[in-house]
Amino acid sequence: MSETSALPLFYRDPQPLSAAQHGAWRLKDGDVAFAAETAFVPVVVSEIAAAARSYPIVLSSGEGAQPIAVLGLEQRNLFVGNGRWAPDAYTPAYVRRYPFGFIATVNPSGFALAIDAASDRVAVSGGEGEALFENGRPTALTQDAMAFCNAFQGEAAATQAFGEALRAQKLLIDRRADATLPDGRKLGLDGFQVVDTERFANLDEAVVLDWHRKGWLALVHFHLASLERFGALLNLQGQAAAIAAPAAKTSKTKKA
């Protein structure tokens, strides 16, 4: 579950936005089909409580211990259908900000607003969609995207601090999720970590008090409670497999 790509999840051609280069670009309406084949997405600390009601929240096995919402047990997002996110499930901020994002720069602030030029929603010419710039200045759309990404970046820093604290207290242990579907197929999900409940229960009082003040104790409890959602994921996976099986059989019959 650790990321191996040099590019962030979903992004194929992120470019720093500028009026000089992207003055004529527009953003068309779109959906979340871009997230249909991903089984996990990062979340930040401010959304762990909301995300934990819909998905198992685990920690990446990398050094950052990034909180991750598990969306499926194989390379499929069980919460996206026909380009739409399930209305009864929380949509992570990482998904909602796309195709915008921040990209590292050498300027003093360290980041600049970027857009994925490879997104189907981006129109480099023509009149379709909403303008990113007008008269050389960012439109309300671009300003809103900047504000959203700026808030997300701030939460990312807080999330990193939370992950580092978990690692510093040696609370994280490797885990693997295995499941057998109704059709007999076996699925396995590994490369993630969870908080060890015994070690968590034996934290020093000073650490407990500090984490209580920072809100980190609650985050750990949300994480641990969310692991029960693996059962719901298995049910969704079984339903998806049951729907796909007749379709695949019909397709084979037609070819024959």
Side-chain angles (χ1 to χ4, degrees):
M1 189 173 285
S2 57
E3 291 187 26
T4 57
S5 173
L7 290 174
L9 180 66
F10 303 144
Y11 298 84
R12 292 173 288 163
D13 185 16
Q15 299 182 11
L17 271 178
S18 70
Q21 185 173 353
H22 308 104
W25 285 27
R26 307 177 75 88
L27 189 69
K28 300 180 290 185
D29 290 336
D31 55 28
V32 293
F34 63 86
E37 295 182 358
T38 184
F40 61 90
V41 69
V43 293
V44 292
V45 288
S46 63
E47 58 182 343
I48 285 179
R53 291 193 287 267
S54 300
Y55 323 105
I57 305 299
V58 299
L59 290 305
S60 69
S61 59
E63 292 186 4
Q66 167 69 48
I68 290 171
V70 183
L71 310 174
L73 298 175
E74 52 187 356
Q75 203 60 31
R76 176 181 177 182
N77 185 341
L78 295 172
F79 298 88
V80 172
N82 297 319
R84 302 296 173 187
W85 206 277
D88 58 343
Y90 175 78
T91 307
Y94 189 94
V95 174
R96 285 182 277 125
R97 73 172 185 169
Y98 185 81
F100 294 101
F102 270 179
I103 192 169
T105 68
V106 295
N107 65 32
S109 64
F111 295 94
L113 183 66
I115 193 168
D116 186 4
S119 169
D120 294 337
R121 295 182 60 192
V122 172
V124 300
S125 62
E128 185 180 2
E130 191 172 346
L132 298 178
F133 295 92
E134 286 182 355
N135 300 319
R137 300 183 62 84
T139 61
L141 168 67
T142 302
Q143 292 178 38
D144 288 346
M146 171 67 82
F148 189 94
C149 290
N150 189 54
F152 185 90
Q153 193 65 29
E155 287 294 325
T159 304
Q160 182 178 359
F162 173 60
E164 289 174 349
L166 293 175
R167 290 178 59 84
Q169 294 298 323
K170 297 180 170 41
L171 292 182
L172 299 178
I173 54 176
D174 293 330
R175 276 293 179 264
R176 174 181 173 87
D178 293 295
T180 301
L181 297 181
D183 62 5
R185 283 193 303 134
K186 295 184 182 299
L187 300 177
L189 186 70
D190 56 15
F192 67 88
Q193 297 181 309
V194 300
V195 169
D196 183 285
T197 54
E198 183 175 352
R199 296 176 191 172
F200 179 58
N202 289 292
L203 281 176
D204 290 341
E205 290 185 6
V207 175
V208 171
L209 180 59
D210 179 51
W211 284 22
H212 170 70
R213 290 171 174 167
K214 293 176 177 176
W216 290 352
L217 288 183
L219 295 181
V220 174
H221 286 298
F222 283 127
H223 150 65
L224 292 173
S226 78
L227 300 181
E228 297 293 329
R229 300 298 301 171
F230 270 113
L233 272 187
L234 178 58
N235 290 335
L236 285 174
Q237 191 77 52
Q239 293 170 16
I243 293 172
K249 186 176 181 180
T250 299
S251 176
K252 289 181 180 178
T253 302
K254 288 182 178 178
K255 289 181 180 178

